[in-house]
């Protein structure tokens, strides 16, 4: 009954969209069946236009990755055709852009896309990358930033993508794929940013749905080693999400979420990477066996899911109007990555999932992790120059997380325990949300106005100027002793009532 109603709703929705698409949309077709030499055939009909010339763009950068990835390098055999099927000569300007003359007469554009896998194999030893497109064995991991582009002159248009796929393959994604027949799916996205924001895993399904409050969560898994493992993984994910929900005040700010998890057997050790999106996360894992996977998943899945707070619900104009070719980076990576990583280490202690000793070990891990970086640089500067400062950027996951800890304790101190970073994030979500960005230069003043005047100086000193973060002083306030010579953190003997009450407010211990 429910399924039937859903189907009718989808049909009405899709026919409205396709009527529009004849006029204004990008109409893409992707063929996963005739894939040859690791290359996928792609074609599209441009939106109706009157342009003498068009500049076609493949992304140089994408949201969530702070390095130039140049997706144009995977494109070959780029051709344009008029209504009669005649070839129109195109000019490739550089890696990521093409000039198409007489765009108004172009009826179709075709090209081939190679998988990003082999290249990335060389770059990161034996790793695939969660923002690339690749095919392996019987699975396709598709990120549309690898497959689709846009015209500089025709932005903010809808996308309709028809996917030709193997019989039996299922599309796992945050977007709703409509099955036209056994080998054809159709999906629509409001614009390019939203298309790129929803990767898809195509394979014979091993999927489990869980419900957390009002949020429907899809756990989709692919491994050559095990075709029915999503249930095991979803039990672990469910436990994390229930705790994250409680940590976030009882409600998750999304209705649907998808974990797309790919596993591959590697000889020794374990590797993992994830990339967050508004309503999904792609996680890639390599390990010898599956038994340690649920545990390893906890760290990455937890971090990526916490991104639903920021940048997804709290972000600047630079993120909202992301320029895929020449992006201006926001100055607030301390927020997007630092605060996300802080929530990832703070939530387990606050929710009584780990012991005090484990929590202190995690803090020590971050302190040691800071070692390889220049800790006197302005975080604002590293943020806006992240592409050039790749050697410093990873410090947002170390020092950035510890900055979050210091901010949390400072806020608890000023508010008599009432307000910390959890409450701050809720206030910011309320003020902004997914479609309302903040101005980059305003954020520190906004947070100060929402909290305490003293907080402006905190940001000036530790984010803008780059003074060493006040770790010893902050931990002391919660009755913890940070010994800089040994980089260890221990509980002090006989803490005062004030220290104990701040500790209680901060980590519920
Ligand atoms: Zn992150």
């Amino acid at each position: 009954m429910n399924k039937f109603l859903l189907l009718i709703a989808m049909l009405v929705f899709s026919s409205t969209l396709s009527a529009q698409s004849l006029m204004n949309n990008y109409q893409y077709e992707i063929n996963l069946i005739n894939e040859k030499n690791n290359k996928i055939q792609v074609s599209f009909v441009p939106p109706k236009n009157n342009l003498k010339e068009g500049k076609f763009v493949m992304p140089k950068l994408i949201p969530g990755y702070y390095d130039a990835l140049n997706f144009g390098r995977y494109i070959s055999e780029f051709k344009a055709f008029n209504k009669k099927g005649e070839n129109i000569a195109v000019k490739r300007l550089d890696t990521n852009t093409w000039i198409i003359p007489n765009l108004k007469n172009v009826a179709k554009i075709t090209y081939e896309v190679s998988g990003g896998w082999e290249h990335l194999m060389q770059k990161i030893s034996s790793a695939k990358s969660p923002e690339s497109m690749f095919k392996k064995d019987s699975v396709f991991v598709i990120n549309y930033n690898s497959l689709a582009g846009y015209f500089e002159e025709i932005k903010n248009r809808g996308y309709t993508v028809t996917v030709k796929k193997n019989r039996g393959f299922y599309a796992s994604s945050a977007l709703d794929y409509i099955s036209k027949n056994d080998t054809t799916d159709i999906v629509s996205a409001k614009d390019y940013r939203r298309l790129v924001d929803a990767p898809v895993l195509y394979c014979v399904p091993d999927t489990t749905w869980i419900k957390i409050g009002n949020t429907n969560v899809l756990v989709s898994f692919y491994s050559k080693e095990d075709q029915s493992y999503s249930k095991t993984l979803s039990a672990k994910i469910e436990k994390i999400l229930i705790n994250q929900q409680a940590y976030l005040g009882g409600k998750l700010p999304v209705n649907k979420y998808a974990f797309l998890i790919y596993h591959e057997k590697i000889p020794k050790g374990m590797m993992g990477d994830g990339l967050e999106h508004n309503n999904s996360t792609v996680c890639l894992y390599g390990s010898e066996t599956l038994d340690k996977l649920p545990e390893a998943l906890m760290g990455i899945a937890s971090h990526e899911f916490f991104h639903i707070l920021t940048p997804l619900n709290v972000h600047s104009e630079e993120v909202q109007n992301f320029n895929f070719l020449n992006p201006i980076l926001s100055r607030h990576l301390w927020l997007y990555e630092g605060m996300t990583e802080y929530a990832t280490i703070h939530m387990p202690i606050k929710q009584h999932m780990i012991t005090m000793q484990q929590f202190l070990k995690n803090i020590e891990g971050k302190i040691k992790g800071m070692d390889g970086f220049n800790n006197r640089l302005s975080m604002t500067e590293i943020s806006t120059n992240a592409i050039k400062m790749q050697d410093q950027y990873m410090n947002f996951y170390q020092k950035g997380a510890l900055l979050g800890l210091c901010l949390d304790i400072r806020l608890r101190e000023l508010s008599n325990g009432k307000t910390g970073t959890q409450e701050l994030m809720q206030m910011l979500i309320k003020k902004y949300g997914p479609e309302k960005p903040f101005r980059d230069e305003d954020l520190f003043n906004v947070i100060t106005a929402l909290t305490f005047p003293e907080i402006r100086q905190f940001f000036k000193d530790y984010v803008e100027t780059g003074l060493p973060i006040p770790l010893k002083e902050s931990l002391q306030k919660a009755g913890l002793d940070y010994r800089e010579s040994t980089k260890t953190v221990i509980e002090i003997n006989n803490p005062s009532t004030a220290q104990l009450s701040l500790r209680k407010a901060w980590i519920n211990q």
Side-chain angles (χ1 to χ4, degrees), residues 177-228:
Y177 281 66
I178 297 158
S179 170
K180 211 175 151 196
N181 57 47
D182 279 3
T183 55
T184 312
D185 286 344
I186 294 181
V187 66
S188 297
K190 202 176 156 195
D191 55 29
Y192 188 70
R193 190 169 65 90
R194 286 172 176 87
L195 181 71
V196 167
D197 189 44
V200 54
L201 186 68
Y202 257 108
C203 57
V204 173
D206 171 10
T207 55
T208 301
W209 284 91
I210 46 180
K211 187 143 182 153
I212 313 288
N214 292 323
T215 311
N216 290 310
V217 180
L218 169 66
V219 178
S220 180
F221 181 70
Y222 177 86
S223 173
K224 218 177 150 185
E225 313 307 313
D226 194 329
Q227 285 81 50
S228 56

Side-chain angles (χ1 to χ4, degrees), residues 118-366:
E118 270 146 320
H119 181 86
L120 292 155
M121 281 275 278
Q122 293 154 13
K123 196 172 149 198
I124 315 162
S125 65
S126 82
K128 293 179 183 63
S129 200
E131 84 291 340
S132 74
M133 184 280 291
F134 65 87
K135 192 230 168 196
K136 184 82 197 295
D137 304 323
S138 305
V139 64
F140 289 90
V141 176
I142 292 173
N143 281 283
Y144 284 101
N145 45 261
S146 279
L147 284 182
Y150 59 89
F151 286 104
E152 192 96 296
E153 301 82 2
I154 322 174
K155 286 179 178 174
N156 302 318
R157 295 296 178 86
Y159 280 72
T160 305
V161 183
T162 303
V163 184
K164 298 275 180 202
K165 49 119 195 179
N166 294 56
R167 197 165 276 125
F169 271 28
Y170 175 77
S172 296
S173 167
L175 288 177
D176 294 321
Y177 281 66
I178 297 158
S179 170
K180 211 175 151 196
N181 57 47
D182 279 3
T183 55
T184 312
D185 286 344
I186 294 181
V187 66
S188 297
K190 202 176 156 195
D191 55 29
Y192 188 70
R193 190 169 65 90
R194 286 172 176 87
L195 181 71
V196 167
D197 189 44
V200 54
L201 186 68
Y202 257 108
C203 57
V204 173
D206 171 10
T207 55
T208 301
W209 284 91
I210 46 180
K211 187 143 182 153
I212 313 288
N214 292 323
T215 311
N216 290 310
V217 180
L218 169 66
V219 178
S220 180
F221 181 70
Y222 177 86
S223 173
K224 218 177 150 185
E225 313 307 313
D226 194 329
Q227 285 81 50
S228 56
Y229 200 65
S230 67
K231 230 180 183 56
T232 311
L233 282 180
S234 66
K236 192 80 190 173
I237 288 177
E238 187 170 22
K239 196 176 161 216
I240 306 168
L241 293 184
I242 286 170
N243 280 295
Q244 282 179 311
Q245 183 188 30
Y247 182 80
L248 297 174
K251 201 171 174 278
L252 298 175
V254 287
N255 294 324
K256 183 184 174 185
Y257 200 88
F259 286 96
L260 313 178
I261 304 158
Y262 169 92
H263 169 264
E264 184 174 319
K265 191 172 174 168
I266 57 165
K268 256 184 232 152
M270 181 166 239
M271 45 145 268
D273 199 358
L275 181 59
E276 80 281 5
H277 301 277
N278 269 292
N279 291 80
S280 57
T281 283
V282 176
C283 298
L284 307 182
Y285 284 96
S287 63
E288 192 153 16
T289 56
L290 285 171
D291 51 337
K292 291 204 178 71
L293 192 63
E295 216 43 59
L297 184 74
M298 198 165 140
I300 291 186
S302 179
H303 173 101
E304 304 306 346
F305 191 77
F306 265 130
H307 275 304
I308 58 172
L309 300 182
T310 186
L312 308 174
N313 269 281
V314 182
H315 55 248
S316 72
E317 289 162 337
E318 285 76 6
V319 176
Q320 178 85 15
N321 309 312
F322 191 82
N323 183 325
F324 287 87
L325 193 55
N326 294 304
I328 299 162
L329 296 187
S330 163
R331 63 184 81 169
H332 295 295
L333 267 174
W334 72 272
L335 172 74
Y336 310 140
E337 292 305 337
M339 292 298 286
T340 298
E341 185 59 17
Y342 174 61
T344 309
I345 62 165
H346 185 229
M347 184 271 279
I349 184 76
K350 191 95 192 229
Q351 294 302 120
H352 296 291
M353 294 170 80
I354 58 171
T355 64
M356 188 69 176
Q357 283 318 306
Q358 284 172 301
F359 178 59
L360 297 183
K361 279 272 162 294
N362 293 344
I363 295 177
E364 287 172 4
K366 294 290 175 202

Side-chain angles (χ1 to χ4, degrees), residues 478-498:
L480 300 171
D481 186 25
Y482 166 39
R483 300 202 172 147
E484 281 169 82
S485 55
T486 51
K487 299 194 193 311
T488 48
V489 182
I490 53 164
E491 293 181 60
I492 60 170
N493 294 326
N494 308 315
S496 69
T497 319

